[in-house]
């Protein structure tokens, strides 16, 4: 799996499925009509982004599937995983030749990873250039084991995740697409209030920092 393609380039023709500790939320714009379905999750199914009761989660997802498509038809979704298992971090690189950007970025990713980089899906995207001549980039990391657990549960309920995001990244894309920010090059503070508690997001140039 290439995390950079899954985090930054989801297909626009699919629905969105957000899974948090407390609820499942499905959104779709099929045919130009907004479809929303929300299903609460009982306590003990997911906690801090970790699946505790897999069979029960599969059953709840299967119930959600029946409200979207016939049981045998796979539902294509962008999966929004709990914020606790994925994160984004901005970093800077020296202004190196294009042929050296990949190697320089990978070196930076290894140094800023929240743990052993082999334990995380990871990727980056260039988001700008500082006046001092440095390259600005955004890194994304997601816990391999926990993401794979969610992907496996979706597969068992006949969903297919064409992309994986986390709430801050999904919200920053929504703001970039539909909201007018006075000065997009200046950091913008966004407070996201959800069932999992408040989340503070900083957006610059349309990207979650």
């Amino acid at each position: 799996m290439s995390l950079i393609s899954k985090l930054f380039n989801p297909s626009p023709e699919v629905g969105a499925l957000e899974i948090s500790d407390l609820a499942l939320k499905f959104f779709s714009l099929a045919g130009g009509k907004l479809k929303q379905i929300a299903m609460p999750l009982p306590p003990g199914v997911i906690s801090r982004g970790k699946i505790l009761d897999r069979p029960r989660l599969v059953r709840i997802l299967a119930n959600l599937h029946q409200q979207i498509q016939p049981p045998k038809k796979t539902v294509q979704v962008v999966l929004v995983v709990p914020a606790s298992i994925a994160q984004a971090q901005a970093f800077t690189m020296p202004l190196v030749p294009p042929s050296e950007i990949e190697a320089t970025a990978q070196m930076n990713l290894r140094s800023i990873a929240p743990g052993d980089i082999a334990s995380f899906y990871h990727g980056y995207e260039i988001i700008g250039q500082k006046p001092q001549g440095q390259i600005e980039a955004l890194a994304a990391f997601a816990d391999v084991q926990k993401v794979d657990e969610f992907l496996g549960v979706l597969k068992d309920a006949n969903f297919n995740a064409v992309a994986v995001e986390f709430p801050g990244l999904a919200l920053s894309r929504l703001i970039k697409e539909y909201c007018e920010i006075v000065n997009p090059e200046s950091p913008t503070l966004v407070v996201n209030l959800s069932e999992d508690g408040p989340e503070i997001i900083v957006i610059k140039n349309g990207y979650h920092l």
Side-chain angles (χ1 to χ4, degrees), residues 2-205:
S2 171
L3 184 68
I4 192 65
S5 64
K6 291 185 177 296
L7 285 181
F8 291 109
N9 299 298
S11 170
E13 281 80 26
V14 299
L17 174 62
E18 179 181 0
I19 300 179
S20 68
D21 289 0
L22 301 177
L24 305 178
K25 295 179 182 178
F26 176 82
F27 305 88
S28 172
L29 280 172
K33 295 182 179 179
L34 177 62
K35 183 175 185 178
Q36 302 180 69
I37 303 173
M39 300 184 69
L41 290 177
V45 176
I46 300 176
S47 178
R48 296 183 180 180
K50 182 175 178 59
I51 298 173
L52 302 180
D53 191 337
R54 192 180 193 279
R56 195 171 189 181
L57 181 57
V58 171
R59 290 196 298 271
I60 296 171
L61 280 165
N63 185 11
L64 175 64
H65 184 288
Q66 292 178 0
Q67 300 182 49
I68 304 168
Q69 295 283 5
K72 293 185 178 180
K73 187 172 182 179
T74 302
V75 177
Q76 306 291 334
V77 295
V78 173
L79 172 63
V80 182
V81 296
S84 57
I85 72 172
Q87 67 182 64
Q89 183 173 338
F91 66 97
T92 59
M93 300 183 288
L95 192 59
V96 297
S99 60
E100 298 178 15
I101 288 179
E102 179 65 24
T104 304
Q106 292 300 327
M107 181 176 64
N108 277 270
L109 290 177
R110 287 192 293 272
S111 67
I112 66 174
D116 180 1
I117 198 166
S119 300
F120 296 88
Y121 290 121
H122 58 277
Y124 73 94
E125 183 157 305
I126 304 298
I127 62 174
Q129 184 174 324
K130 288 190 172 184
Q132 302 92 329
Q134 292 177 308
I135 298 172
E136 289 185 287
L138 179 67
F141 301 94
D143 185 290
V144 167
Q145 181 178 357
K146 291 180 179 179
V147 170
D148 285 352
E149 286 177 352
F150 279 105
L151 295 177
V153 166
L154 289 188
K155 183 178 180 180
D156 287 352
N158 206 14
F159 286 86
N160 178 57
V162 300
V164 178
E165 294 189 338
F166 51 96
L169 187 62
L171 182 59
S172 65
R173 180 180 291 109
L174 184 67
I175 292 172
K176 180 181 179 181
E177 184 72 22
Y178 295 105
C179 299
E180 183 176 345
I181 298 176
V182 176
N183 186 359
E185 295 184 0
S186 296
T188 300
L189 188 66
V190 178
V191 179
N192 179 31
L193 301 177
S194 69
E195 299 95 334
D196 293 333
E199 178 186 12
I200 297 176
I201 301 167
V202 179
I203 298 174
K204 182 180 179 183
N205 291 330

